[in-house]
Each structure stands twice: as structure tokens, then as C-alpha cells.
Amino acid sequence: MADKKSEQASDQKLELSNGDVLPVKVVSLANGLLTTESEDLGQISIPRDMVSSIQLGIYPKRVIYSGPTDFTGWKRDKEGSRNLKIEGREFVSEGTGSLSMDDVLTEKFIIKFSFAWDNHPNFQFRFAEPDGAGSGRVDRYLLQFAGSGFGIFRESPAKSGNVPIASLNRSSDRLRNNRMEIEIRVDRTRGQLQLYIDGEMEGRYTDPVPGIPKGKCISMISRAPRASRQRIG
């Protein structure tokens, strides 16, 4: 794999169907083979059906938020102010409560966080939602994890229920160490999402509902009882 220096320097990237991303220069495409050049790998030819996408004119990634170290920029509801605290760069919930942050997302974004629990998880992460959305039905995405399973859903005022995007067979009693690393990559220009769990790609998905959510806000909701601590880092 290429090192971080060469990856950051390249303005072209090749994404393979297995999720690997290579910083390369595209040379040619002929006879079903894509020929590329890389400082680290030299010249390589890759079958076209193994290529997921070619990205040209790439701009460096910009970190919008990393933390937490404190509650700066976050809004807490009444329960959250009482039941949420910070320990070792993690939000810790001891009961119900919510956190939200406004005007943070761009058209394309990556969200990465760890989620851990003691007993019975009940957690929802909302993203691409409008400011002040609350519990009303709006255009947004929902990641939900409870004892019965894990999934990403699309909410829309045009639909009576949440539309499944990704449903995974991940019940809390089957997961060792009661912890997972979650990464969501979203390209709203194409209505596409990618989900990674513990560094492994679970799938690529297309938004099934017309009208891509345009909101820039995120929120985290704990619905677990006080006896079940949850930690988000």
C-alpha cells in the first residue's frame, strides 16, 4: 500500500471494488485493462471490472471535527445535560439524552466514530438533517443500533416509515468486546453511501428515496437505560 505522503500528494485516485484506494496516475484504458503509474507501485495494469471509480482533480481532505475534548459546538437537550459527560475523548451516556451539531457537513463527507456499550445498546445517529429537525419527519439519514440489530435508514416526509438502506445481522449479543468502529462515506452529489464496520466494507448503497437530504447537521441520541452506559468517540 502507498504511504500517507504519496497518497496526499496525488491528485488522482483509483478505487477498487474491494474498497482499496490507490493514489495513481491513469495512463490508458484498452482491451479491458486500466494501466496506471504510481511512485510506490510503478506501472500496473488492472482489469476494468475490478475498478469501482476513478477520481480526478482531488482536493486534500479537510478535517471538520475531531474529538471530543469538551462540549464546544454541541447542543445538549435537558436529559443530555444531565446524563452525558466526556471521559478520555469519548462521550459517555448514562441514560437518555441527545447531542447535536449544526452546519458541519459538506456535499461529500466521511464520518468515523467508535461505539461501545456495557449491557443493552440503544443508539441512533442522524446525519444530513436540517437545523432544528428534532423528532419531526424530515429528509435525513438514520443509523440505528439496538439489541435486535444494526441498520441505516432514510427518513422522508413523503414516506410513512423509514426506508431501509443497509440492514446488517449485527445483534449486540453476538459482538465481542461490546465495541465497534463505524465509518460512513457519503457522496450527496450522487446519492451514494458506503459503510465500513471495524475497517471492513459492508457495502455500497444508493439512496432509494428521491430528493437527497441537503441538511448540514448531525445528532446523536441515546435511548438506553441508565444502567447501560454507552460511549461514542
Side-chain angles (χ1 to χ4, degrees):
M1 297 297 292
D3 61 26
K4 290 181 182 266
K5 182 178 179 181
S6 63
E7 182 174 349
Q8 292 172 352
S10 176
D11 64 352
Q12 300 182 21
K13 289 184 183 178
L14 182 71
E15 185 172 3
L16 303 181
S17 55
N18 66 358
D20 288 346
V21 177
L22 306 176
V24 297
K25 177 181 179 182
V26 176
V27 177
S28 66
L29 175 61
N31 300 321
L33 289 176
L34 181 71
T35 301
T36 67
E37 290 181 349
S38 164
E39 290 185 5
D40 301 282
L41 304 174
Q43 188 173 94
I44 54 175
S45 296
I46 304 170
R48 178 62 184 87
D49 57 7
M50 291 180 60
V51 177
S52 174
S53 66
I54 302 172
Q55 304 175 49
L56 306 176
I58 293 172
Y59 295 93
K61 291 180 181 178
R62 176 169 60 95
V63 177
I64 297 173
Y65 175 80
S66 179
T69 55
D70 54 36
F71 285 104
T72 300
W74 292 95
K75 298 178 182 178
R76 286 179 285 177
D77 66 355
K78 182 178 179 180
E79 288 77 14
S81 296
R82 181 175 64 248
N83 296 331
L84 285 163
K85 57 185 178 181
I86 294 175
E87 293 180 356
R89 292 179 65 83
E90 289 185 325
F91 292 117
V92 178
S93 69
E94 296 179 331
T96 59
S98 69
L99 283 169
S100 62
M101 181 177 284
D102 298 338
D103 197 24
V104 65
L105 299 179
T106 55
E107 282 298 291
K108 299 179 182 181
F109 57 89
I110 298 174
I111 295 170
K112 297 177 69 174
F113 61 94
S114 61
F115 178 62
W117 61 96
D118 287 350
N119 298 306
H120 305 290
N122 195 332
F123 172 74
Q124 186 178 86
F125 178 71
R126 303 170 179 172
F127 54 105
E129 64 179 2
D131 186 13
S135 59
R137 294 197 64 80
V138 298
D139 282 313
R140 62 184 165 195
Y141 298 112
L142 310 172
L143 181 150
Q144 298 184 154
F145 182 50
S148 58
F150 179 101
I152 295 178
F153 302 86
R154 170 68 193 281
E155 182 181 292
S156 168
K159 301 290 183 179
S160 58
N162 296 333
V163 180
I165 295 177
S167 296
L168 306 182
N169 185 20
R170 290 288 209 291
S171 59
S172 61
D173 58 355
R174 294 183 179 181
L175 292 170
R176 296 180 179 179
N177 303 321
N178 287 8
R179 188 177 186 90
M180 63 169 63
E181 302 290 331
I182 300 168
E183 178 177 338
I184 310 166
R185 303 181 183 182
V186 182
D187 181 352
R188 290 194 277 189
T189 63
R190 297 189 295 175
Q192 295 183 348
L193 301 89
Q194 297 179 32
L195 173 64
Y196 294 76
I197 302 292
D198 295 331
E200 298 291 332
M201 175 182 276
E202 295 291 338
R204 306 170 189 272
Y205 312 95
T206 300
D207 190 328
V209 180
I212 305 301
K214 299 296 184 182
K216 298 181 179 181
C217 306
I218 61 175
S219 58
M220 298 181 289
I221 297 90
S222 170
R223 294 172 173 166
R226 189 172 181 82
S228 180
R229 299 177 84 220
Q230 300 185 126
R231 299 179 296 282
I232 304 98

